[in-house]
Amino acid sequence: MAEQKFPILTNPPIKVAIFEIRFKNESQVFPPSLEEFNNYFKSLFPIVQNNINKNIEINDLPNGETSFNITGQEINQIRYFSSDKTKVLSLSKDGFILNINNSYESWEDHISLFRSLWGQYSASVLKNDYSLLRASTRFINHFEILNLENPADYFKTTIYADENVIPAPVNSFLFKYNTVLNGEDIQIHVVQGFEPPIDNKTIYMFDIDVISIKNFSETELWSKFDRLRELKNQTFFNNLTDKAINSLL
């Protein structure tokens, strides 16, 4: 089946875009030696932050008092930030995640960056000694709508009730649904909702998370992301009315 064609948006509502790879690291060593990897992209991500796990040991003393000791401190995640903090790369023992916050340019630009970073990390740090477990992409969209009266004017999947069931207009709601493409072992998680308006402006959240849940090979990785993108676009555009799409053109 040919891929659906969708309009190019001049005003996309994307607030956060996430690209993620989960893997089994055969060495089980974290943090690994990152010197070569750090040198590769330090101009793009100059700010480094380590998240540290701390275990608290509690002991009852003979005099009835209790002692507390912090033991087993270890780094469980390393995060790299761009200078403006709009891009964040997170590394963990089994995860590799790129967050794009409020600076979305295009899928091609960001997947190219993600692919380059992963190629360097998998070769220089993991030494290609790993197996892929999962790939996913998540897009959190915020629609700013003035004087929202009926969500169905903008969205095709929304709250519904028979007449007179709800005695007054709904000014906030939240719901989630999941679908599974069994033939492809892909899940799509969608969250939609909004809070009460401020100055007649409603922020409507449309959160789409598309996840490949089946092990696959390295040669399949980027075609897998192409498929995730296709499903993400279908979920997004097919849920919007013409009025919603026109507001983004």
Side-chain angles (χ1 to χ4, degrees):
M1 181 174 11
E3 181 180 352
Q4 288 179 260
K5 299 298 183 182
F6 299 108
I8 297 175
L9 305 179
T10 58
N11 185 31
I14 301 164
K15 289 299 179 184
V16 181
I18 303 171
F19 306 85
E20 178 178 3
I21 293 171
R22 290 286 175 181
F23 56 90
K24 181 181 179 182
N25 183 358
E26 302 300 340
S27 73
Q28 296 298 312
V29 175
F30 192 86
S33 174
L34 294 168
E35 182 177 359
E36 183 178 347
F37 182 63
N38 290 349
N39 289 335
Y40 172 71
F41 74 101
K42 63 183 178 182
S43 63
L44 294 174
F45 297 90
I47 305 169
V48 182
Q49 179 186 89
N50 294 332
N51 289 349
I52 299 176
N53 268 347
K54 297 180 180 180
N55 299 318
I56 300 178
E57 186 179 88
I58 303 175
N59 297 303
D60 293 325
L61 302 178
N63 61 5
E65 296 182 356
T66 302
S67 69
F68 299 87
N69 296 309
I70 297 176
T71 64
Q73 297 186 58
E74 61 180 16
I75 297 173
N76 68 339
Q77 185 186 60
I78 302 173
R79 296 199 296 169
Y80 299 87
F81 297 83
S82 61
S83 57
D84 60 3
K85 295 189 176 182
T86 60
K87 296 182 178 67
V88 185
L89 179 67
S90 301
L91 309 180
S92 64
K93 183 179 292 186
D94 62 356
F96 188 88
I97 306 171
L98 177 64
N99 283 54
I100 311 295
N101 304 304
N102 264 337
S103 63
Y104 189 77
E105 297 154 14
S106 71
W107 173 276
E108 290 77 13
D109 288 337
H110 295 310
I111 199 67
S112 176
L113 172 62
F114 187 59
R115 183 171 183 168
S116 176
L117 293 169
W118 171 253
Q120 182 68 17
Y121 186 74
S122 61
S124 67
V125 177
L126 300 179
K127 308 295 185 183
N128 295 315
D129 188 20
Y130 61 88
S131 54
L132 294 171
L133 303 178
R134 191 177 85 177
S136 65
T137 188
R138 180 181 178 188
F139 279 65
I140 302 174
N141 303 278
H142 284 181
F143 291 78
E144 298 183 2
I145 304 173
L146 288 174
N147 302 312
L148 177 65
E149 295 182 0
N150 184 358
D153 290 340
Y154 296 86
F155 306 96
K156 298 178 182 178
T157 306
T158 184
I159 189 170
Y160 168 79
D162 285 339
E163 188 176 359
N164 299 324
V165 171
I166 300 176
V170 174
N171 71 351
S172 69
F173 86 103
L174 182 71
F175 77 95
K176 176 179 179 179
Y177 66 87
N178 303 327
T179 60
V180 179
L181 282 70
N182 290 320
E184 299 182 70
D185 292 298
I186 290 176
Q187 296 180 355
I188 305 173
H189 300 173
V190 176
V191 178
Q192 289 178 237
F194 60 88
E195 295 295 328
I198 298 175
D199 296 330
N200 295 323
K201 180 192 293 184
T202 298
I203 305 297
Y204 191 105
M205 180 186 66
F206 190 0
D207 182 346
I208 306 169
D209 194 3
V210 190
I211 308 165
S212 174
I213 57 175
K214 183 179 180 180
N215 296 9
F216 50 90
S217 68
E218 186 75 26
T219 57
E220 299 175 287
L221 178 58
W222 305 111
S223 62
K224 184 72 67 177
F225 272 103
D226 288 341
R227 178 58 175 155
L228 298 180
R229 179 198 187 190
E230 180 183 351
L231 292 168
K232 181 267 298 182
N233 283 343
Q234 289 178 4
T235 303
F236 179 80
F237 283 101
N238 291 343
N239 270 281
L240 301 185
T241 66
D242 290 342
K243 183 175 183 178
I245 292 175
N246 289 336
S247 71
L248 305 175
L249 297 178

